[in-house]
Amino acid sequence: MHQPSSPPMAALKPWNGLRNAGKLSLHKLTTSYLLAEFKCTVYDCGFHSETLETMKEHFLIHQKPSNQHSITRFSPWLECWYCRNVATSSDNLLEHVQMMHKHCGYQCDQCCYRSRDPNSVVVHQRKYHNELFQNAKILCVPGRQKPYTPMDDDAIRIEMKTNVKGLHCSHCVIRKFIDLDEFLTHISGHNKTYTDCHVCTQPVPTHTMEEHIKLHNIYLFQCVYCDYGTTATAKIMEHVADEHPERMLFYHTRVSRNNFPPFVRGIQRIAPNRYVVCSTQPNEVIHIN
């Protein structure tokens, strides 16, 4: 007997893998669903709302009895639909969404991903929706955009003091470096077989120092919001887009050329017609030509 084919589904949170939780029939992936502040990502549910109380009531439908084993009480609806955060309760989840994502004004049109920076949306679409990338759109969520200000600059500089480890020569003690190549050239110039790592103090063969400090997440490109590092610009931008969608797409490069800024923005080429300005009226969108 012929089995009816399953309807085409969209992965609502592709950054979490391809498990069934977080999939939605394509016909339910409407503009109103994507633009809604609160949405349910339980398998093929599609419920969405702009009000806290309505969303809380909806979550009760999916909540399972507390006497069930923890494995059977897996609650995908407690996963944030915008990032990797998993809440302990519906109240915590809704508070997280309101606090962390209130200025995420740019929405992917293929899934639930949303970011404060449209450049992050492009990076996301290239990584997770590559087959649809050329025609993918960025939905501008009404009233959510927040311009970059000097306060953001100050916040990043403060975070960098914690997240971006410095480079120090253990032979010179007081010598500090920004430039990774300059640091490696400098310690080689001492002609010492071993050099103490400035992070863990372990003696390391000088010629392997670059590989060793990677154990401490010290790379050419560093996230300014956490201690992640990598040797590739594409990877650092994907990291910021994936892990910090509520922030601007900035990262640090360990170079010290004249006038090179302490952190740079991952600017993408975004055609004007990629943006879709959305009205406050349900299902009304204005395409920019």
Side-chain angles (χ1 to χ4, degrees):
M1 183 176 178
H2 177 70
Q3 294 291 329
S5 59
S6 300
M9 309 288 284
L12 296 177
K13 297 177 288 186
W15 56 90
N16 277 348
L18 299 177
R19 62 184 183 218
N20 281 341
K23 287 189 177 182
L24 186 66
S25 297
L26 283 179
H27 73 274
K28 296 181 182 179
L29 193 69
T30 61
T31 300
S32 59
Y33 176 85
L34 292 172
L35 293 180
E37 181 175 11
F38 308 114
K39 58 201 75 174
C40 183
T41 56
V42 169
Y43 184 79
D44 208 26
C45 178
F47 183 85
H48 57 280
S49 175
E50 292 291 347
T51 64
L52 278 172
E53 293 305 319
T54 303
M55 204 67 213
K56 286 181 183 179
E57 291 176 6
H58 173 78
F59 282 154
L60 293 175
I61 298 173
H62 298 298
Q63 192 165 352
K64 296 179 180 180
S66 59
N67 60 358
Q68 287 189 18
H69 191 277
S70 59
I71 294 178
T72 63
R73 286 192 288 112
F74 169 66
S75 304
W77 48 274
L78 289 179
E79 296 178 354
C80 178
W81 38 91
Y82 298 131
C83 69
R84 298 185 193 275
N85 181 73
V86 180
T88 56
S89 68
S90 59
D91 286 339
N92 288 341
L93 173 62
L94 296 172
E95 181 181 0
H96 162 83
V97 170
Q98 286 188 306
M99 292 296 295
M100 296 299 293
H101 301 289
K102 61 182 177 181
H103 296 305
C104 291
Y106 299 96
Q107 170 75 48
C108 175
D109 71 334
Q110 303 295 322
C111 70
C112 285
Y113 182 82
R114 184 180 288 192
S115 178
R116 182 183 171 191
D117 194 330
N119 295 287
S120 292
V121 180
V122 173
V123 171
H124 161 86
Q125 290 174 334
R126 184 179 290 112
K127 179 179 180 180
Y128 294 107
H129 310 295
N130 191 257
E131 293 181 358
L132 304 169
F133 179 76
Q134 294 302 322
N135 295 318
K137 300 295 183 182
I138 300 173
L139 307 182
C140 300
V141 186
R144 294 282 175 180
Q145 288 75 31
K146 181 184 179 182
Y148 187 78
T149 70
M151 290 183 64
D152 292 296
D153 255 3
D154 294 340
I156 292 175
R157 291 177 189 276
I158 292 171
E159 288 179 279
M160 282 182 61
K161 292 179 180 179
T162 300
N163 298 326
V164 180
K165 298 182 179 72
L167 300 169
H168 306 276
C169 174
S170 60
H171 300 300
C172 300
V173 182
I174 62 172
R175 286 298 302 272
K176 298 180 180 180
F177 299 86
I178 296 174
D179 193 302
L180 179 59
D181 285 339
E182 184 181 342
F183 166 71
L184 296 172
T185 300
H186 173 84
I187 61 174
S188 296
H190 284 289
N191 295 317
K192 301 286 188 180
T193 304
Y194 288 88
T195 298
D196 290 347
C197 171
H198 61 285
V199 179
C200 66
T201 70
Q202 175 183 335
V204 177
T206 302
H207 71 280
T208 67
M209 182 61 75
E210 182 174 9
E211 289 303 311
H212 172 81
I213 58 179
K214 289 178 181 177
L215 299 175
H216 305 298
N217 283 329
I218 296 177
Y219 289 82
L220 177 60
F221 302 108
Q222 301 283 163
C223 179
V224 296
Y225 307 119
C226 70
D227 68 352
Y228 176 84
T230 181
T231 57
T233 52
K235 290 296 183 183
I236 194 67
M237 288 192 288
E238 287 177 358
H239 164 82
V240 177
D242 275 353
E243 303 296 336
H244 311 288
E246 76 284 359
R247 309 298 295 272
M248 302 296 282
L249 186 57
F250 281 101
Y251 59 91
H252 171 69
T253 306
R254 293 183 183 274
V255 297
S256 59
R257 294 194 297 269
N258 290 339
N259 300 320
F260 197 88
F263 45 90
V264 295
R265 191 175 179 189
I267 300 295
Q268 308 295 301
R269 291 184 178 180
I270 307 178
N273 63 359
R274 196 178 191 90
Y275 290 100
V276 177
V277 178
C278 300
S279 167
T280 54
Q281 299 299 317
N283 299 319
E284 183 178 345
V285 297
I286 303 171
H287 292 269
I288 301 177
N289 296 318

